């Protein structure tokens, strides 16, 4: 009869049922090949190659907590659910199951939520199917389930004026427990056994604490904090765009509500205790003004605003220089008052720039490229930014006399 010679690339023959039937275990290569040489009894032979695409298993590792909490009737624990997941792959189909628990959501997604009912050792199973190749992989994940006691909240104050500061202590005491405080009024969470919180809005605020032990058991408790009303501080600056140094007095009118006393504080820490206030400034700039008000039960509020004290910037530009060596008027300079920055340009009669500077303290000696310019009349252009950020523009002529 005929003889068969099999050659495998990318795998090994694990079983041969007959000369013409074999079983192959493929390796990790992406492509393999089967070559078969058939020889007849008369010595005639023929060779055929059969390329094989080797698809990899859809291997993924389950991620999640190795400890969990069983929802037993003894502690009425409603925070027992745990999430287990793998990285999502659109080409994969997922099927979750559990030993000792129930899959309550995400059974056919890359992330499942499982509720445990068995205390002790349990298993998570995930069957992953590559929908393009049909390859299947099953991963298992072992967890331990336990229970925990009911937590409690201790608060330093359960009511007070806003802003109300409350110190919170959670129990069981710190040790093999983790804590999650949730404050819905400002949507913040904290992860410590004890914490402190400010309540700035009036009303009754419900606080939630979730305590978790080292096995992942969680339980919850709530507390209510009542924050009482406070005055609302506010004031207006009279004619704020036209207050100039050494010329005008700044006036402040109280527009607060619910207050009975006033306390004004200025940049130099001086204070006034009248309903309205004023201040005479001797230097320009932006200055803070703080108003603190209180009501008849001692609740208080404050607000800070900035008043701008302006100044009129001045620029003096001479019209000539005489760089003739007599040590008089040898340099061209300008004088500024409350100018923050500037650019100064000199042109000749053909519009060419012969001098440019941004130095407020410049001194031009009447040269261009270190060569004295000829006696003539030259145009200049000045552009500056004043103390109040206003644009200052000057144009004119300079006479160079030798």
């Amino acid at each position: 009869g005929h003889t068969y010679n099999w050659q495998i690339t990318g795998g090994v023959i694990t079983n041969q049922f007959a000369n013409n039937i074999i079983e192959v275990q493929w390796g990790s290569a992406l492509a393999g090949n089967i070559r078969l040489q058939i020889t007849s009894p008369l010595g005639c032979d023929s060779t055929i190659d059969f390329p094989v695409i080797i698809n990899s298993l859809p291997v993924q590792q389950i991620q999640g907590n190795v400890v969990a909490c069983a929802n037993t009737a003894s502690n009425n624990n409603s925070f027992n659910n745990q999430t287990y997941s793998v990285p999502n792959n659109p080409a994969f189909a997922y099927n979750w199951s559990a030993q000792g628990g129930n899959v309550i959501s995400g059974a056919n997604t890359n992330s499942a939520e499982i509720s445990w009912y068995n205390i002790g050792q349990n298993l998570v199973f995930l069957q992953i199917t590559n929908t393009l190749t049909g390859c299947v992989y099953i991963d298992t994940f072992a967890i331990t389930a336990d229970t925990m006691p009911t937590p409690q909240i201790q608060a330093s104050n359960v009511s007070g004026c806003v802003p109300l500061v409350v110190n919170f202590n959670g129990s069981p005491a710190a040790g093999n427990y983790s804590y999650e405080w949730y404050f819905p009024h400002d949507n913040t969470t904290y992860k410590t056994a004890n914490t402190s919180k400010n309540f700035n809005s009036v009303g009754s605020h419900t606080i939630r604490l979730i305590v978790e032990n080292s096995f992942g058991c969680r339980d919850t408790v709530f507390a209510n904090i009542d924050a009482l009303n406070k005055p609302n501080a506010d004031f207006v600056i009279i004619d704020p765009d036209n207050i100039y140094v050494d010329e005008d007095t700044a006036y402040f009118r109280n527009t607060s509500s619910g207050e009975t006393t006033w306390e004004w504080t200025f940049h130099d820490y001086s204070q006034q205790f009248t309903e309205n206030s004023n201040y005479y400034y001797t230097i320009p700039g932006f200055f803070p003004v703080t108003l603190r008000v209180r009501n008849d039960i001692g609740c208080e509020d404050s607000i800070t605003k900035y008043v701008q004290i302006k100044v009129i910037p001045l620029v003096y530009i001479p019209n000539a220089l005489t760089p003739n060596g007599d040590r008089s008027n040898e340099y061209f300079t300008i004088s500024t008052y409350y100018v923050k920055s500037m650019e100064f340009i000199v042109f000749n009669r053909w519009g060419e720039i012969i001098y440019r500077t941004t130095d407020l303290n410049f001194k031009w000696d009447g040269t261009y490229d270190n060569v004295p310019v000829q006696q003539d009349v030259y145009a200049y252009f000045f552009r500056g930014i004043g103390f109040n950020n206003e644009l200052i523009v000057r144009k004119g002529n300079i006479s160079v006399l030798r």
Side-chain angles (χ1 to χ4, degrees):
H2 291 74
T3 60
Y4 297 83
N5 181 21
W6 299 88
Q7 295 181 9
I8 308 300
T9 302
V12 294
I13 298 174
T14 58
N15 205 348
Q16 187 164 348
F17 302 98
N19 287 334
N20 62 337
I21 300 175
I22 63 172
E23 184 179 86
V24 178
Q25 178 178 332
W26 297 103
S28 60
L30 297 177
N33 186 71
I34 301 175
R35 172 169 291 179
L36 173 61
Q37 183 182 34
I38 306 174
T39 306
S40 72
L42 297 177
C44 298
D45 60 21
S46 176
T47 301
I48 184 171
D49 287 297
F50 186 77
V52 177
I53 297 176
I54 305 173
N55 296 306
S56 60
L57 289 174
V59 177
Q60 289 185 308
Q61 302 298 321
I62 297 174
Q63 301 293 322
N65 291 328
V66 297
V67 292
C69 183
N71 186 20
T72 61
S74 61
N75 67 354
N76 194 27
N77 177 13
S78 59
F79 292 94
N80 63 304
N81 301 332
Q82 296 286 333
T83 299
Y84 305 90
S85 65
V86 294
N88 187 42
N89 189 322
F92 292 173
Y94 302 97
N95 185 17
W96 296 84
S97 60
Q99 174 186 300
N102 296 315
V103 179
I104 61 175
S105 67
N108 298 116
T109 69
N110 69 303
S111 178
E113 190 176 12
I114 298 177
S115 175
W116 299 105
Y117 55 80
N118 180 62
I119 298 176
Q121 296 296 315
N122 300 304
L123 291 174
V124 181
F125 300 97
L126 174 60
Q127 178 178 297
I128 307 170
T129 303
N130 189 324
T131 59
L132 302 178
T133 66
C135 296
V136 177
Y137 178 78
I138 297 177
D139 190 34
T140 60
F141 188 78
I143 70 101
T144 301
D146 194 18
T147 60
M148 71 162 289
T150 302
Q152 293 181 345
I153 294 177
Q154 295 178 337
S156 60
N157 297 299
V158 294
S159 66
C161 301
V162 294
L164 174 63
V165 180
V166 181
N167 298 317
F168 295 95
N169 297 318
S171 66
N176 295 324
Y177 297 95
S178 62
Y179 304 83
E180 181 180 296
W181 297 88
Y182 176 58
F183 297 88
H185 70 286
D186 60 359
N187 195 32
T188 56
T189 58
Y190 298 90
K191 302 290 187 179
T192 57
N194 306 316
T195 188
S196 180
K197 194 63 181 175
N198 293 340
F199 296 88
N200 297 314
S201 58
V202 177
S204 181
H205 304 282
T206 300
I207 309 307
R208 187 186 74 186
L209 170 64
I210 300 174
V211 181
E212 181 175 343
N213 68 9
S214 59
F215 282 89
C217 296
R218 291 185 293 169
D219 204 355
T220 186
V221 65
F222 298 90
N224 291 322
I225 303 298
D226 293 323
L228 306 179
N229 200 10
K230 68 177 180 63
N232 181 38
D234 201 4
F235 66 93
V236 295
I237 304 171
I238 305 301
D239 198 13
D241 296 327
N242 294 289
I243 306 175
Y244 287 87
V245 65
D246 290 333
E247 294 184 13
D248 302 301
T249 298
Y251 291 92
F252 310 99
R253 184 173 71 241
N254 171 54
T255 57
S256 305
S257 60
E259 85 285 5
T260 56
T261 64
W262 308 268
E263 178 185 291
W264 300 86
T265 304
F266 299 93
H267 68 285
D268 58 359
Y269 304 106
S270 63
Q271 292 184 311
Q272 298 178 19
F273 301 94
T274 56
E275 181 175 0
N276 301 302
S277 183
N278 62 79
Y279 194 93
Y280 184 79
Y281 292 88
T282 58
I283 56 175
F286 285 86
F287 300 98
V289 178
T290 299
L291 171 62
R292 183 179 302 275
V293 296
R294 296 177 179 85
N295 61 15
D296 52 4
I297 60 175
C299 296
E300 64 179 38
D301 189 27
S302 65
I303 187 173
T304 298
K305 295 184 179 182
Y306 282 79
V307 59
Q308 182 182 15
I309 306 303
K310 296 183 177 181
V311 66
I312 300 175
L314 299 176
V315 180
Y316 171 72
I317 303 176
N319 58 11
L321 77 157
T322 58
N324 53 13
D326 64 356
R327 298 185 180 180
S328 176
N329 200 26
E330 295 286 329
Y331 297 97
F332 180 84
T333 61
I334 66 175
S335 299
T336 61
Y337 180 72
Y338 286 110
V339 174
K340 297 193 295 185
S341 63
M342 70 91 194
E343 181 182 34
F344 188 80
I345 305 174
V346 180
F347 305 87
N348 63 20
R349 64 176 59 248
W350 296 279
E352 296 174 324
I353 297 176
I354 63 172
Y355 183 72
R356 170 182 278 166
T357 184
T358 58
D359 183 2
L360 284 167
N361 301 311
F362 77 93
K363 294 171 63 175
W364 182 44
D365 60 359
T367 63
Y368 174 56
D369 284 344
N370 295 321
V371 177
V373 300
Q374 66 182 6
Q375 180 168 304
D376 205 344
V377 177
Y378 298 85
Y380 70 80
F381 175 78
F382 173 92
R383 177 173 53 199
I385 301 298
F387 184 86
N388 311 308
N389 293 319
E390 63 269 64
L391 178 64
I392 307 166
V393 176
R394 300 286 189 272
K395 300 177 183 179
N397 295 321
I398 306 170
S399 295
V400 177
L401 305 174
R402 297 188 182 278

